[in-house]
């Protein structure tokens, strides 16, 4: 549900980074924030607890330049991953144009990834969206860790609809922009249909 302002010729769309607690959602946004040229970014807003965990969301507005004469803005959000913050996750999902699912590659987090994916699908459905038709990309993060499960196994467990899927080490920035570009591309293609 992107906002199109015809008089000021601006399009604003919303992309939500979803995933279990500590999978690296905030790290993705932090990396993007450090790499965006000054002129193209506003400040990143994070509502975090004292332990640095996202309490409500992180928010990063980006300027993607002009498309067909319209100034295009993307707003990136993360959700809090901890199980008990579900009402917040639903709130942050409202009006999403696209979703990035960040999966933690560590073996011990595989169950949490699967739960988070089910939770995403359910929360979207409850708001009248369908993950099947939503612009969507997946990131297998933390590929640097020795306990990382093989990519093939993760794909088997987490692939939803043959969505674009990327390996990443968000702390180093590997795969971060590839993931963002892939989802932004689908979001913009959807917008052009309207
Ligand atoms: N080794 C490793 N650690 C990571 C990676 N990405 C994130 N982390 C760490 O995982 C922890 C949780 O990351 P954070 O972005 O806060 O997770 P969030 O709960 O999904 O927002 C932090 O200590 C990060 O530094 C990665 O690719 N590799
Ligand atoms: Mg976070």
């Amino acid at each position: 549900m992107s906002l199109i302002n015809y008089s000021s010729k601006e399009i604003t769309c919303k992309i939500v980074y979803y995933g279990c607690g500590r999978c690296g959602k905030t790290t993705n946004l932090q990396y993007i924030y450090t790499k965006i040229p000054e002129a193209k970014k506003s400040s990143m807003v994070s509502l975090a607890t004292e332990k640095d965990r996202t309490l409500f969301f992180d928010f990063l507005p980006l300027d993607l330049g002009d498309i067909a004469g319209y100034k295009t803005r993307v707003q990136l959000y993360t959700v809090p991953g901890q199980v008990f913050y579900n009402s917040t996750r639903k709130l942050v999902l409202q009006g999403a144009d696209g979703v990035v699912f960040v999966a933690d590659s560590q073996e011990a987090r595989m169950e949490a990834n699967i739960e988070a994916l089910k939770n995403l699908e359910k929360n979207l459905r409850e708001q009248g969206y369908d993950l099947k038709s939503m612009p969507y990309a997946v990131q297998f993060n933390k590929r640097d860790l020795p306990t990382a499960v093989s990519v093939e196994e993760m794909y088997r467990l987490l692939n939803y609809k043959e969505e674009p899927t990327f390996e990443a080490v968000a702390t180093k920035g590997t795969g971060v922009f590839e993931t963002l570009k892939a989802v932004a591309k689908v979001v913009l293609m959807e917008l052009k249909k309207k």
Side-chain angles (χ1 to χ4, degrees):
M1 202 210 66
S2 49
L3 286 173
I4 303 180
N5 186 327
Y6 294 95
S7 56
S8 64
K9 293 207 156 231
E10 283 181 357
I11 297 174
T12 304
C13 48
K14 174 175 178 178
I15 295 172
V16 178
Y17 280 67
Y18 214 91
C20 66
R22 315 283 294 168
C23 65
K25 300 174 293 294
T26 298
T27 308
N28 267 267
L29 264 61
Q30 282 168 341
Y31 182 79
I32 293 164
Y33 184 73
T34 62
K35 293 295 166 189
I36 292 290
E38 278 307 319
K40 290 195 185 281
K41 68 184 176 191
S42 322
S43 50
M44 176 165 162
V45 178
S46 288
L47 291 174
T49 56
E50 75 282 1
K51 283 187 183 136
D52 224 25
R53 305 190 63 169
T54 306
L55 185 60
F56 202 66
F57 57 70
D58 305 298
F59 172 65
L60 176 59
L62 295 178
D63 191 343
L64 288 191
D66 285 20
I67 294 173
Y70 278 77
K71 213 172 162 39
T72 308
R73 292 222 174 81
V74 179
Q75 303 182 327
L76 305 182
Y77 285 84
T78 73
V79 295
Q82 296 96 299
V83 177
F84 44 90
Y85 285 132
N86 199 43
S87 52
T88 310
R89 276 195 293 280
K90 278 189 178 174
L91 208 64
V92 177
L93 272 180
Q94 272 178 24
D97 297 293
V99 175
V100 170
F101 183 82
V102 181
D104 191 322
S105 294
Q106 295 176 89
E107 194 163 17
R109 296 300 282 158
M110 230 29 72
E111 207 54 52
N113 290 327
I114 293 167
E115 277 310 306
L117 180 56
K118 282 189 194 146
N119 176 259
L120 167 64
E121 196 194 10
K122 180 165 180 281
N123 281 344
L124 283 173
R125 204 182 322 116
E126 283 179 15
Q127 295 182 78
Y129 297 96
D130 183 357
L131 185 56
K132 286 273 181 231
S133 53
M134 170 79 76
Y136 182 56
V138 167
Q139 181 183 82
F140 296 160
N141 190 33
K142 306 196 184 182
R143 296 309 304 165
D144 58 317
L145 293 177
T147 54
V149 169
S150 76
V151 171
E152 293 71 23
E153 177 66 359
M154 286 186 73
Y155 195 81
R156 195 183 65 75
L157 292 170
L158 299 169
N159 178 257
Y160 190 72
K161 53 173 184 180
E162 297 185 1
E163 62 276 359
T165 303
F166 301 88
E167 295 179 47
V169 183
T171 37
K172 296 198 178 92
T174 314
V176 169
F177 274 97
E178 288 82 349
T179 312
L180 173 60
K181 277 183 199 160
V183 73
K185 189 176 156 190
V186 191
V187 167
L188 293 173
M189 265 163 46
E190 284 297 312
L191 273 178
K192 280 184 191 160
K193 289 186 194 163
K194 288 179 186 158

